[in-house]
Amino acid sequence: MSAYRGFASMPSPLLWIMTVFFFVPGLYDVATGTFQQPLEDLMLDVAELITGVFLLYCAVQAYRDRRSTLASRRTTMVGYACFGLFCLCFAVKVGATAMRVLG
């Protein structure tokens, strides 16, 4: 059996710092520029907000000393899905920006 515990193994300060880096800009971007942006920008902003909400959940659970819920397979898979969606949307935005600049 592996000793890997998913997001439960992350220190609490790191969870809070990552929450701030993802949640605050994602919330601001979604709240201010939803209808003026291209679709790839909106997708990236929403993915950033979803990742920030997941990290906020993890940080609150760690604060409440409920790391056993963070160590569950379901929470780990949801976290991987959130970060995967963010990475995918970031790659789409980079590609769309490159096409706009080069094309």
Side-chain angles (χ1 to χ4, degrees):
M1 176 123 186
S2 173
Y4 179 70
R5 296 181 5 193
F7 292 93
S9 61
M10 295 177 76
S12 294
L14 179 62
L15 284 171
W16 285 109
I17 289 169
M18 288 178 63
T19 298
V20 169
F21 282 145
F22 279 94
F23 183 74
V24 174
L27 183 63
Y28 176 79
D29 290 341
V30 168
T32 58
T34 303
F35 298 109
Q36 295 108 3
Q37 299 177 0
L39 182 61
E40 64 270 6
D41 289 343
L42 178 62
M43 287 177 13
L44 180 64
D45 295 341
V46 170
E48 187 176 18
L49 183 61
I50 290 170
T51 305
V53 168
F54 172 75
L55 286 168
L56 180 63
Y57 167 77
C58 289
V60 168
Q61 293 298 341
Y63 176 74
R64 293 180 177 176
D65 288 330
R66 296 184 182 164
R67 290 202 180 257
S68 61
T69 59
L70 296 180
S72 72
R73 183 168 171 80
R74 180 183 301 163
T75 304
T76 303
M77 289 298 128
V78 169
Y80 288 165
C82 289
F83 279 101
L85 178 66
F86 174 75
C87 290
L88 178 68
C89 290
F90 184 76
V92 167
K93 178 169 173 55
V94 167
T97 303
M99 294 299 292
R100 206 174 311 127
V101 169
L102 300 176

